[in-house]
Amino acid sequence: MNHASMIRLGLLSLIACTAFASASAMAADTTVPGHPRVNEVNQRIDNQQARIAKGVANGTITPKQAANDQRRAANIAQRESAAEAKHNGHLTKGETRRLNRAENRNSRAIHRQRH
């Protein structure tokens, strides 16, 4: 191999490694170790956010509807944070149940809008 080919190969390797590192950083795990109820609520909120974004992207949800859905999701996240603050970062079973009910209502609203 000549010198120019070695430089190109090195640059391509560097670009590939950088792309892989940035992709793995973007897909970083957001779970909280030792907090399964918190992780469950957070995962459901993330899933609903993705469904809202997908609905806006394909035109089945209007921006106004998306804003309402986002507001409801933010309210659930705020309630979760307040409940966690009361119990040193944990959620009780009752708090989890209430948050899941709110997420169920929000999920049904998203579903009705998209179909």
Side-chain angles (χ1 to χ4, degrees):
M1 279 189 166
N2 62 19
H3 185 61
S5 297
M6 293 294 287
I7 291 175
R8 283 188 194 129
L9 182 61
L11 285 173
L12 286 174
S13 304
L14 180 64
I15 291 170
C17 289
T18 305
F20 178 74
S22 66
S24 63
M26 288 173 57
D29 191 17
T30 59
T31 59
V32 182
H35 297 83
R37 292 184 190 124
V38 173
N39 293 335
E40 175 190 353
V41 172
N42 288 340
Q43 184 61 47
R44 289 195 65 190
I45 290 171
D46 291 345
N47 290 344
Q48 288 179 5
Q49 296 290 338
R51 289 174 55 210
I52 293 167
K54 190 185 257 186
V56 170
N58 67 19
T60 57
I61 295 178
T62 66
K64 186 175 180 179
Q65 290 171 327
N68 286 335
D69 294 337
Q70 296 285 355
R71 181 184 45 80
R72 283 194 302 270
N75 179 277
I76 293 168
Q78 184 180 19
R79 289 171 41 199
E80 175 197 10
S81 295
E84 285 181 57
K86 289 180 187 176
H87 302 287
N88 298 325
H90 294 276
L91 290 175
T92 64
K93 288 182 182 180
E95 291 163 339
T96 304
R97 193 175 315 113
R98 283 187 290 278
L99 291 170
N100 273 324
R101 277 193 215 129
E103 288 173 342
N104 290 341
R105 283 189 298 272
N106 199 25
S107 182
R108 282 191 297 272
I110 295 167
H111 177 78
R112 281 191 302 270
Q113 292 166 0
R114 289 192 66 200
H115 294 92

